[in-house]
Amino acid sequence: MSTRRKFLQTSFLGSIGLFSGKKIMAQSDADYPTIKNEPIVLSTWDFGKAANTEAWTILGKGGRALDAVEAGVKIPEADPNNQSVGYGGLPDRDGHVTLDACIMDEYYNCGSVMGLENIIHAISVARLVMEKTPHVVLIGEGAFQFALANGFKKENLLTPESEKAWKEWLKTSKYEPIMNIENKLHKPASGGDMPGGPNNHDTIGMIAMDASGNCSGACTTSGMAFKMRGRVGDSPIIGAGLYVDNEVGAATSTGVGEEVIRIVGSHLVVELMRQGLEPEAACKKAVERIISRNPEKAKKVQVGFLALNKKGQYGGYALQPGFTFAVKSGKEERIIKAKSIY
Ligand code: GLY
């Protein structure tokens, strides 16, 4: 009997207890390998590979998933060439780089910052909100002052490249949030050859399970390029851009945040896994929920979900082609092109 078949059998038996006798609703058509009792980390998009490598320096040594996801997403946050996250992120329509981030651990603890300016590592501020305050969310100036009070350095996040892209955008000021459908985000934002123009953007969402079998997740972004001042997407909203339930697994999202918020996407994916769906099937169902809400709009935007369950199974699904995710474990390291509806 193949290892995978054996695993599916034992998973099924195990799930009888895990899901308190609930019927297994469906089996996914996922063809990704499963990894059991081993640490694993997953991140949205190709740039998740470098983030996973960093996370693995912690996970591979038996460290906590929470520490791994924070360290992992700090890589794109500090990368000036990544114009969708952290330093070098594309600004809002008024030229301000504003960051959104959230983090969640294995005990339902969570922290979030929204509209944070002049601090590179929004994810670390989110973690401090979780660990040092009685709150879950801090926004704008309050989040910034909290960061300064905790030793973070004030920095200009607007790089010359992103400023140039913004000034180019100002010439037309066309506000059309068409998202990263072919994953060409890393072309120069001012280059004008990205599908949908320079309004494409994306997020890093990272979810991980450590050697103790505990899950955590982190999600961080500079949000929609040239967004209205004050606009917040799904990424810092617990349940939308990220959700972790250590009984079930974790999920994160990328793409047009408004569409994810409307269905509380990541929480939905986790709840679908709780009901017995494997990760890819749960992500697909969440994507279908977006379509059922507004089929015409769904054809024009991108949303992708990525999920991991407690058995180490993982999967992703998107509205449009082009959504990729990166996986790293002791057994594999690769980038996978997710299936899509369209
Ligand atoms: N998914 C990130 C955003 O909509 O801001």
Side-chain angles (χ1 to χ4, degrees):
M1 187 186 299
S2 76
T3 313
R4 178 168 164 76
R5 279 197 54 182
K6 196 168 155 195
F7 173 73
L8 285 174
Q9 249 183 28
T10 48
S11 316
F12 178 77
L13 291 172
S15 62
I16 292 172
L18 182 64
F19 300 118
S20 310
K22 278 190 193 135
K23 190 169 169 259
I24 301 293
M25 286 171 60
Q27 290 293 339
S28 150
D29 56 355
D31 52 6
Y32 315 128
T34 55
I35 298 149
K36 203 180 171 203
N37 299 326
E38 287 192 19
I40 179 168
V41 57
L42 296 146
S43 297
T44 53
W45 303 108
D46 296 14
F47 56 69
K49 188 168 184 280
N52 286 356
T53 301
E54 184 65 23
W56 195 254
T57 63
I58 294 168
L59 284 178
K61 287 191 295 219
R64 189 178 171 201
L66 181 71
D67 296 326
V69 295
E70 181 192 4
V73 303
K74 283 170 81 171
I75 298 298
E77 277 188 341
D79 179 359
N81 297 316
N82 187 327
Q83 291 183 301
S84 64
V85 181
Y87 178 55
L90 291 168
D92 66 15
R93 55 165 63 172
D94 299 333
H96 306 273
V97 181
T98 68
L99 306 183
D100 297 332
C102 75
I103 194 160
M104 190 160 185
D105 75 6
E106 66 271 39
Y107 304 113
Y108 300 98
N109 295 315
C110 45
S112 162
V113 289
M114 302 183 185
L116 177 66
E117 293 180 43
N118 298 115
I119 303 287
I120 290 183
H121 292 300
I123 198 65
S124 298
V125 184
R127 181 167 177 176
L128 280 188
V129 172
M130 173 174 90
E131 292 180 338
K132 286 202 166 184
T133 79
H135 309 301
V136 170
V137 185
L138 290 181
I139 62 164
E141 180 63 18
F144 174 65
Q145 292 302 334
F146 173 74
L148 291 184
N150 282 282
F152 287 80
K153 210 169 108 212
K154 179 176 178 181
E155 285 171 278
N156 175 22
L157 305 186
L158 187 64
T159 57
E161 292 72 25
S162 288
E163 187 172 11
K164 188 170 164 222
W166 169 58
K167 288 191 170 152
E168 194 61 34
W169 175 83
L170 281 177
K171 288 179 187 165
T172 55
S173 301
K174 194 165 171 227
Y175 195 54
E176 190 184 21
I178 298 170
M179 290 301 174
N180 195 348
I181 288 172
E182 291 297 339
N183 194 20
K184 290 180 179 167
L185 187 65
H186 294 293
K187 293 204 177 251
S190 52
D193 58 350
M194 291 186 292
N199 286 322
N200 286 339
H201 83 286
D202 256 294
T203 304
I204 183 155
M206 176 181 276
I207 48 181
M209 183 163 64
D210 60 31
S212 307
N214 288 323
C215 294
S216 287
C219 189
T220 177
T221 185
S222 51
M224 188 179 285
F226 320 128
K227 60 196 172 188
M228 285 177 68
R229 184 131 176 87
R231 179 264 183 191
V232 172
D234 58 323
S235 302
I237 299 179
I238 298 295
L242 175 74
Y243 198 70
V244 178
D245 184 324
N246 206 39
E247 288 181 4
V248 178
T252 190
S253 65
T254 180
V256 180
E258 283 75 0
E259 301 312 311
V260 179
I261 294 168
R262 286 185 233 279
I263 64 156
V264 199
S266 293
H267 184 261
L268 174 61
V269 171
V270 169
E271 288 306 305
L272 288 166
M273 291 197 293
R274 190 196 305 281
Q275 290 168 25
L277 291 190
E278 288 183 0
E280 184 186 87
C283 292
K284 185 177 183 200
K285 268 243 178 295
V287 166
E288 287 168 348
R289 182 76 61 87
I290 292 174
I291 296 170
S292 68
R293 195 193 67 77
N294 188 336
E296 282 315 302
K297 185 158 193 195
K299 284 183 193 150
K300 297 181 200 138
V301 297
Q302 176 64 303
V303 169
F305 291 106
L306 177 60
L308 168 70
N309 70 16
K310 290 281 285 185
K311 301 172 203 164
Q313 296 169 303
Y314 62 86
Y317 219 93
L319 271 172
Q320 313 287 344
F323 171 47
T324 58
F325 59 92
V327 56
K328 182 160 176 62
S329 69
K331 292 191 179 136
E332 63 171 342
E333 179 173 23
R334 62 185 176 129
I335 291 171
I336 295 172
K337 194 169 177 176
K339 293 176 191 162
S340 62
I341 302 285
Y342 299 117

